[in-house]
Amino acid sequence: MSVAHPTDGVLVDRYGRVARDLRVSLTDKCNLRCTYCMPAEGLPWLAGPELLTDDEVVRLVRVAVERLGVTEVRFTGGEPLIRPGLAGIVTAVAALEPRPTISLTTNGIGLDRLAPALRAAGLDRVNVSLDTLDPARFTELTRRPRLDAVLAGLAGAAAAGLTPVKINSVLMRGVNENDAPALLRFALDHGYELRFIEQMPLDAQHGWDRAAMVTADEILSSLRREFDLRADPADRGSAPAETWLVDGGPARVGVIGSVTRPFCGDCDRTRLTADGQVRACLFATEESDLRGALRGGVDDDGLADRWRRAMWGKRAGHGIDDPTFLQPTRPMSAIGG
């Protein structure tokens, strides 16, 4: 007999994990076309009425913070900077009690212009995606010649006080697999925190090939040819990245080995898509509809109960190594990071 989900309190699952980190996708659209994410022509985007309005986003975040114990909120996409109401959403979330930590994952294009207003609205920090410092390789990877804009966005974020500024990098075999040392040197020189992320099966084309993925061990081996890396003695907690002290510290570099070094047992994340669906796991094949309930007149307590039920059913792990693993129908751009 299955045990009924909790009817009050925090977002807990059957394995005792508590979700306190909410990832909110604000749009499925993006102004880059990264090869490991989507095809060159883009994707069929969500229609306007399908997207949560600004007020609906804020209401669901408020339910998560006030009723479900969420303490961290990260806005993602697609590319969240292209959401017109972003600053207003951040302002409203920053006014919640208790106030959550608010961050943003972005490709950095336009961040130099928007960073001061976002900082004033209450944004605490940013993660910026950057996979190479070579202009030609950047254009090959993203299908857009916008490296200078991303670098300007990083500098603008730091100048606005959105610190620590973190960089997320994905390495692909035969493309940018040798760029790890240069990326780390760049991060050290500018005071940014670098995180390498193993490429995950979340591309719209469903062309992910494990053999083409640069593993955490390979990334660390590449870095150790130029840097001394020592395991970070600090407690990792529920953070997805394993970190190492670089050349004795205090600078650190992280590796998120979602595929070869899964951290599912310590996962504390819950996800809300741009069209109002709760996802208990990045790789989930099922979703729970909050948008329909919200627009159907369900009150905040009812929305919280639906969210608890969705998280109660979270699986023990993503199962990428299981022969029965099925890649989610939605790509990363529609799920949110």
Side-chain angles (χ1 to χ4, degrees):
M1 176 182 290
S2 61
V3 179
H5 73 280
T7 57
D8 59 14
V10 298
L11 290 171
V12 64
D13 64 33
R14 290 169 294 175
Y15 303 94
R17 296 169 296 191
V18 178
R20 301 190 184 281
D21 183 340
L22 169 61
R23 308 294 173 93
V24 182
S25 175
L26 295 178
T27 178
D28 60 329
K29 297 182 178 68
C30 188
N31 43 14
L32 296 180
R33 296 289 183 270
C34 295
T35 57
Y36 54 79
C37 186
M38 66 176 71
E41 64 274 16
L43 296 166
W45 310 122
L46 291 167
E50 297 179 69
L51 295 172
L52 294 174
T53 66
D54 293 358
D55 287 344
E56 289 172 338
V57 169
V58 172
R59 181 180 171 192
L60 290 177
V61 173
R62 176 169 53 78
V63 168
V65 170
E66 294 181 352
R67 285 172 165 75
L68 299 172
V70 163
T71 58
E72 299 180 44
V73 177
R74 181 181 300 186
F75 294 112
T76 70
E79 176 44 55
L81 292 183
I82 66 178
R83 173 93 181 207
L86 175 59
I89 292 172
V90 171
T91 297
V93 171
L96 295 176
E97 293 290 345
R99 184 196 189 282
T101 300
I102 308 171
S103 59
L104 179 81
T105 295
T106 172
N107 63 30
I109 296 175
L111 184 57
D112 55 330
R113 175 174 54 84
L114 296 172
L118 290 173
R119 179 62 176 143
L123 188 66
D124 295 306
R125 64 171 191 81
V126 294
N127 285 44
V128 178
S129 298
L130 176 64
D131 303 324
T132 183
L133 294 165
D134 180 274
R137 197 169 297 133
F138 181 93
T139 301
E140 177 188 0
L141 275 166
T142 68
R143 302 187 178 101
R144 300 289 188 274
R146 305 300 306 275
L147 176 59
D148 287 347
V150 176
L151 298 180
L154 283 163
L162 294 172
T163 55
V165 175
K166 295 186 178 181
I167 295 175
N168 295 339
S169 298
V170 175
L171 301 182
M172 300 179 65
R173 199 174 308 285
V175 182
N176 64 333
E177 63 184 309
N178 297 317
D179 285 13
L183 285 163
L184 181 52
R185 180 65 62 194
F186 170 77
L188 294 174
D189 288 346
H190 291 82
Y192 305 144
E193 294 187 10
L194 178 61
R195 300 288 185 268
F196 291 99
I197 305 174
E198 287 183 338
Q199 184 191 5
M200 295 177 283
L202 290 167
D203 60 307
Q205 307 93 305
H206 285 213
W208 180 82
D209 180 2
R210 181 167 181 148
M213 179 191 74
V214 181
T215 68
D217 285 344
E218 290 174 308
I219 294 167
L220 292 169
S221 177
S222 175
L223 292 175
R224 284 188 167 114
R225 287 195 283 270
E226 296 189 27
F227 303 93
D228 174 58
L229 301 183
R230 299 184 183 181
D232 189 347
D235 181 19
R236 177 182 177 184
S238 59
E242 294 181 82
T243 54
W244 284 262
L245 299 177
V246 181
D247 295 337
R252 293 170 170 80
V253 63
V255 177
I256 300 176
S258 300
V259 178
T260 65
R261 301 182 178 192
F263 42 89
C264 301
D266 295 313
C267 181
D268 68 343
R269 281 164 288 290
T270 182
R271 289 178 165 81
L272 182 66
T273 66
D275 56 349
Q277 309 301 305
V278 168
R279 296 180 65 89
C281 172
L282 189 58
F283 298 96
T285 55
E286 61 282 324
E287 299 175 335
S288 298
D289 180 21
L290 290 188
R291 182 192 64 196
L294 185 155
R295 293 180 180 176
V298 173
D299 63 14
D300 288 354
D301 287 336
L303 294 172
D305 185 66
R306 282 165 169 76
W307 209 325
R308 291 189 192 97
R309 184 184 304 123
M311 296 305 296
W312 185 246
K314 185 173 182 173
R315 297 177 182 178
H318 54 52
I320 292 176
D321 284 331
D322 192 305
T324 64
F325 173 78
L326 294 175
Q327 183 172 336
T329 302
R330 291 208 203 211
M332 186 66 149
S333 62
I335 296 172

